[in-house]
Amino acid sequence: MAISASPTIRARRLRRELRRLRDQRGLTVDEVARLVGWHRAKVIRVEQGHSGVSADGLRKLLDLYEASVEEQETLTALARQARQKGWWSAYGDVLPDDYVGFEAEAVAISTFQSLYVPGLLQTEEYAQAIIHAGRTTADPEEVARVVAARQARKVLLARDVPPKLWIVLDEAAVRRHVGGPEVMAAQLARIIQACQMPAVEVQVLPFSAGAHASMGGAFTILDYAEPAFDPTIVYVDNDTNTLLLETGEQVSRYRLAFDHLRAKALDPDRSADFLAMVAADLQP
């Protein structure tokens, strides 16, 4: 299965290029707003991704920024691609942020999970149990849609060239009996199976490792094929909010943390053996 362009990534690249062109012309947000006849808040919303930009609005900005013919053609094409819909748009009511759009075009996904198995490796039954526990007031239809969205994400691993998926799992994530022993045993079997995939590496961080570099919780690092245009993103998720971090300092901090976690965790072969041992303990 071939990779397709992610509208989310294209929109991000467009925003970055518009900011770059404005800076290159030495214009402030207030000056741009005055010269194109917009409120300054609209310029800010466009540059921060809180508002789209129409074809006419984009032409005004590119003319003001004295963009070259090549830049105009490139950014017009980006804007057109950014207005398209990714498959995840059908689940907009249960996917509240842009993470799936950012994940869709990543060439490498490095994630530390402290409490549960990451969505890309979740079985349907495990996902249902997680969602039921986290959305106690959700109706069955909502739960079914969230599960369907998570299952649809797995298309990433079926690509002709799948992203490199590197997972560090805290021991708590593999010890907790989510959905009961049978569901958890099947989930562990799924992880062990994934360990055989060339593009997937799984390491378990045992309790015996003690304190580690991410005691604050889970995070995911997303890398892209053209980092000059699409810099790395760090996604930090918890029960109250989600953060997308993009600055070089932020990315370096989490990349270093991930390197420390990998160093403390069991190597992939020993991790597979550890998972098999935990699964065996669940057998009646």
Side-chain angles (χ1 to χ4, degrees):
M1 186 172 295
I3 185 173
S4 59
S6 165
T8 308
I9 293 296
R10 296 298 177 265
R12 180 192 184 220
R13 188 182 294 189
L14 177 63
R15 297 194 300 270
R16 289 175 54 84
E17 286 299 296
L18 289 175
R19 289 196 298 270
R20 181 185 65 80
L21 288 172
R22 177 171 65 79
D23 289 342
Q24 186 174 286
R25 287 280 284 122
L27 294 170
T28 66
V29 167
D30 289 322
E31 288 171 333
V32 171
R34 176 173 55 82
L35 291 169
V36 298
W38 292 354
H39 192 283
R40 73 183 304 272
K42 180 174 180 178
V43 180
I44 294 171
R45 288 198 305 272
V46 167
E47 290 193 356
Q48 293 183 346
H50 301 308
S51 175
V53 59
S54 67
D56 181 61
L58 180 60
R59 279 193 298 271
K60 288 180 179 180
L61 291 175
L62 295 178
D63 288 344
L64 175 61
Y65 298 155
E66 299 179 359
S68 67
V69 172
E70 182 181 357
E71 287 172 329
Q72 291 194 31
E73 291 176 349
T74 299
L75 297 188
T76 299
L78 274 178
R80 198 162 48 242
Q81 293 168 346
R83 286 192 287 269
Q84 296 172 355
K85 299 292 186 182
W87 65 261
W88 52 89
S89 64
Y91 298 98
D93 56 325
V94 293
L95 294 175
D97 55 57
D98 290 333
Y99 174 77
V100 175
F102 287 119
E103 178 189 71
E105 204 168 322
V107 296
I109 303 170
S110 306
T111 185
F112 168 64
Q113 293 294 333
S114 55
L115 298 177
Y116 52 81
V117 176
L120 286 174
L121 294 188
Q122 289 179 5
T123 66
E124 186 171 341
E125 294 75 16
Y126 181 95
Q128 286 174 341
I130 286 284
I131 295 160
H132 272 299
R135 302 187 181 210
T136 54
T137 60
D139 59 45
E141 183 177 350
E142 180 183 351
V143 172
R145 284 182 57 72
V146 178
V147 171
R150 291 194 182 181
Q151 298 305 302
R153 283 172 57 198
K154 294 179 183 179
V155 70
L156 283 174
L157 302 180
R159 289 177 181 164
D160 295 335
V161 183
K164 177 65 178 179
L165 178 60
W166 200 305
I167 300 169
V168 176
L169 276 176
D170 192 277
E171 184 174 343
V174 301
R175 290 285 189 186
R176 189 178 302 278
H177 293 184
V178 173
E182 289 186 9
V183 169
M184 197 62 204
Q187 177 60 74
L188 292 173
R190 168 62 183 136
I191 302 171
I192 294 168
Q193 179 187 43
C195 290
Q196 308 306 312
M197 300 171 67
V200 177
E201 296 282 3
V202 178
Q203 291 183 257
V204 175
L205 182 67
F207 292 143
S208 60
H212 56 75
S214 191
M215 299 296 288
F219 65 89
T220 300
I221 303 171
L222 302 173
D223 291 302
Y224 300 95
E226 298 182 89
F229 297 104
D230 302 314
T232 298
I233 289 174
V234 176
Y235 179 81
V236 182
D237 185 19
N238 58 46
D239 288 340
T240 57
N241 66 345
T242 57
L243 296 173
L244 284 171
L245 309 177
E246 303 179 68
T247 70
E249 181 180 357
Q250 291 167 330
V251 171
S252 294
R253 173 191 168 196
Y254 279 93
R255 203 180 292 283
L256 181 61
F258 193 71
D259 287 343
H260 278 284
L261 290 166
R262 288 192 304 164
K264 277 207 162 192
L266 303 175
D267 66 37
D269 288 339
R270 291 176 63 205
S271 293
D273 292 340
F274 185 91
L275 291 167
M277 177 192 71
V278 175
D281 289 343
L282 293 172
Q283 299 303 317

